[in-house]
């Protein structure tokens, strides 16, 4: 039992590091057409953790990625709107993975990305009192659909190709 | 739920499944409807009057306004240092000490955008230029906001609108 827990925590730490690294690398490139828009490749590791290890570990990976990624990339103000969006997006994806059990990973990822984009945009407007920025929301949602699809397909391939006996609890 | 948490059963289910299910159409339809509504409310419906100037505020306090017709700056807060280069149509605002944002305006097209800044993420430089009454440019690290001044609004403090 204890060994299982240690194994899960160790894998979560590795996935957190990979997610943070992907997040920081992505921040080095210019945004996709719209300020703040990214592909969100780091979310592959979060969705993978939710499915393969457990939702609470997925939340851990997401929190570590946002906190450490923001500190290391020198954009601390980003935590204010990234963290609530990440929490809600993870929550929605967890519900779709564990409760509905009817949807594919790409669809779940697309829905999570759209929720993330909408919450991030709304919280940004709330914090900065700049409701005019909502006019970027339709474009950000379109980018979220494409990026969510890519992240979902990547997670699907990762789950299909990786030797999961080394990761899951059996 | 606990039984399947991160278990091989759940993973096997995803391994055996295809990347697309018929039931996914429910989610995709919902998302596409939401996108269509967003485009209607935020892009198609808002009026797109040309602005006659713009206001620049820092931490929600207006620092100055600029009118395209006269090319005149009206300073409303003298705590900030400004540098206006009329030859290159640029205005540099020093937010505090060394922190700055450089604006470029075009009096023919009635547009304004940020072309340079020393903020950490440079997102403000990537914002679309303001060319209508519904635009906005924001620099989060510097707390700087640029809003268009539209003809029907005489008060500069009200800035742009959606």
């Amino acid at each position: 039992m204890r060994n299982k827990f240690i194994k899960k925590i160790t894998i979560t730490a590795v996935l957190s590091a990979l997610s943070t690294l992907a997040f920081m690398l992505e921040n080095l490139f210019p945004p996709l057409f719209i300020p703040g828009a990214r592909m969100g490749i780091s979310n592959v590791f979060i969705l993978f953790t939710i499915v393969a290890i457990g939702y609470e570990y997925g939340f851990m990976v997401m929190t570590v990625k946002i906190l450490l990624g923001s500190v290391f990339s020198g954009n601390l103000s980003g935590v204010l709107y990234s963290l609530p969006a990440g929490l809600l997006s993870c929550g929605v994806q967890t519900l779709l993975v564990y409760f509905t059990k009817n949807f594919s990973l790409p669809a779940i990822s697309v829905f999570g990305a759209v929720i993330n984009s909408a919450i991030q945009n709304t919280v940004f407007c709330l914090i900065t009192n700049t409701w005019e920025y909502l006019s970027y929301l339709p474009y950000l949602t379109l980018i979220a659909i494409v990026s969510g699809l890519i992240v979902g397909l990547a997670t699907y391939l990762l789950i299909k190709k990786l030797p999961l006996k080394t990761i899951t609890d059996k | 739920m606990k039984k399947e948490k991160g278990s091989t059963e759940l993973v096997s289910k995803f391994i055996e499944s295809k990347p697309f299910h018929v039931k996914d159409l429910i989610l995709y339809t919902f998302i596409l409807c939401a996108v269509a509504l967003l485009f209607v409310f935020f892009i198609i419906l808002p009026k797109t009057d040309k602005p006659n100037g713009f206001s620049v505020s820092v931490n929600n306090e207006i620092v100055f306004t600029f009118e395209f017709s006269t090319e005149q700056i009206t300073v409303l807060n003298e705590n900030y240092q400004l540098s206006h280069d009329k030859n290159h149509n640029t205005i540099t605002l020093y937010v505090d000490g060394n922190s700055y944002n450089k604006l470029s305006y075009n009096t023919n097209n009635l547009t304004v955008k940020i072309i340079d800044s020393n903020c950490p993420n440079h997102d403000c430089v990537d914002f679309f230029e303001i060319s209508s009454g519904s635009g906005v440019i924001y620099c989060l690290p510097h707390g700087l906001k640029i809003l268009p001044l539209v003809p029907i609004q005489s008060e500069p403090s009200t800035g742009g609108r959606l």
Side-chain angles (χ1 to χ4, degrees), chain A residues 114-125:
Chain A
V114 168
I115 295 286
N116 189 300
S117 172
I119 300 298
Q120 206 162 335
N121 196 281
T122 309
V123 175
F124 179 86
C125 294

Side-chain angles (χ1 to χ4, degrees), chain B residues 70-121:
Chain B
T70 57
E71 285 193 54
Q72 283 299 308
I73 291 177
T74 309
V75 178
L76 300 171
N77 187 336
E78 304 212 342
N79 293 329
Y80 298 92
Q81 197 188 334
L82 276 174
S83 142
H84 188 185
D85 183 349
K86 286 192 175 181
N87 295 327
H88 296 99
N89 289 352
T90 60
I91 301 168
T92 308
L93 173 66
Y94 293 88
V95 179
D96 72 77
N98 295 324
S99 306
Y100 70 89
N101 294 79
K102 192 174 186 179
L103 288 65
S104 170
Y105 59 86
N106 187 323
T107 50
N108 297 322
N109 298 335
L110 308 180
T111 59
V112 60
K113 71 173 298 189
I114 292 180
I115 54 166
D116 190 22
S117 169
N118 60 351
C119 60
N121 54 10

Side-chain angles (χ1 to χ4, degrees), chain B residues 19-100:
Chain B
F20 297 102
H21 295 176
V22 179
K23 284 184 181 173
D24 290 350
L25 288 174
I26 301 168
L27 283 183
Y28 290 131
T29 309
F30 177 78
I31 291 166
L32 289 176
C33 286
V35 172
L37 281 175
L38 288 172
F39 267 97
V40 168
F41 281 111
F42 292 114
I43 308 296
I44 298 167
L45 285 182
K47 290 178 183 174
T48 52
D49 303 335
K50 278 280 180 188
N52 57 5
F54 58 89
S55 69
V56 177
S57 49
V58 177
N59 298 326
N60 287 320
E61 264 185 50
I62 295 190
V63 177
F64 71 89
T65 61
F66 180 88
E67 272 194 48
F68 289 124
S69 56
T70 57
E71 285 193 54
Q72 283 299 308
I73 291 177
T74 309
V75 178
L76 300 171
N77 187 336
E78 304 212 342
N79 293 329
Y80 298 92
Q81 197 188 334
L82 276 174
S83 142
H84 188 185
D85 183 349
K86 286 192 175 181
N87 295 327
H88 296 99
N89 289 352
T90 60
I91 301 168
T92 308
L93 173 66
Y94 293 88
V95 179
D96 72 77
N98 295 324
S99 306
Y100 70 89

Side-chain angles (χ1 to χ4, degrees), chain A residues 16-75:
Chain A
S16 301
L18 288 170
S19 185
T20 308
L21 192 70
F23 179 76
M24 286 169 61
L25 282 175
E26 212 173 17
N27 268 334
L28 296 176
F29 293 96
L32 300 168
F33 314 114
I34 310 264
R38 313 269 175 211
M39 190 53 80
I41 294 299
S42 57
N43 295 320
V44 170
F45 302 104
I46 296 172
L47 188 55
F48 176 80
T49 312
I50 289 174
V51 175
I53 302 175
Y55 62 90
E56 64 269 56
Y57 298 94
F59 277 90
M60 275 185 219
V61 173
M62 184 272 302
T63 311
V64 168
K65 177 203 89 173
I66 290 174
L67 291 179
L68 288 186
S70 301
V71 168
F72 291 143
S73 57
N75 183 24

Side-chain angles (χ1 to χ4, degrees), chain A residues 91-110:
Chain A
V92 166
Q93 289 182 109
T94 298
L95 288 176
L96 290 174
V97 166
Y98 287 94
F99 287 106
T100 63
K101 297 175 184 172
N102 289 323
F103 303 110
S104 67
L105 277 179
I108 292 169
S109 171
V110 167

Side-chain angles (χ1 to χ4, degrees), chain A residues 83-157:
Chain A
L83 200 56
L87 284 171
L88 218 84
S89 164
C90 261
V92 166
Q93 289 182 109
T94 298
L95 288 176
L96 290 174
V97 166
Y98 287 94
F99 287 106
T100 63
K101 297 175 184 172
N102 289 323
F103 303 110
S104 67
L105 277 179
I108 292 169
S109 171
V110 167
F111 202 70
V114 168
I115 295 286
N116 189 300
S117 172
I119 300 298
Q120 206 162 335
N121 196 281
T122 309
V123 175
F124 179 86
C125 294
L126 262 173
I127 291 170
T128 60
N129 197 22
T130 311
W131 293 99
E132 293 83 1
Y133 188 64
L134 279 178
S135 58
Y136 281 82
L137 188 55
Y139 303 109
L140 285 168
T141 312
L142 280 182
I143 292 172
I145 292 172
V146 177
S147 64
L149 206 60
I150 293 168
V151 166
L153 284 170
T155 313
Y156 174 78
L157 288 175

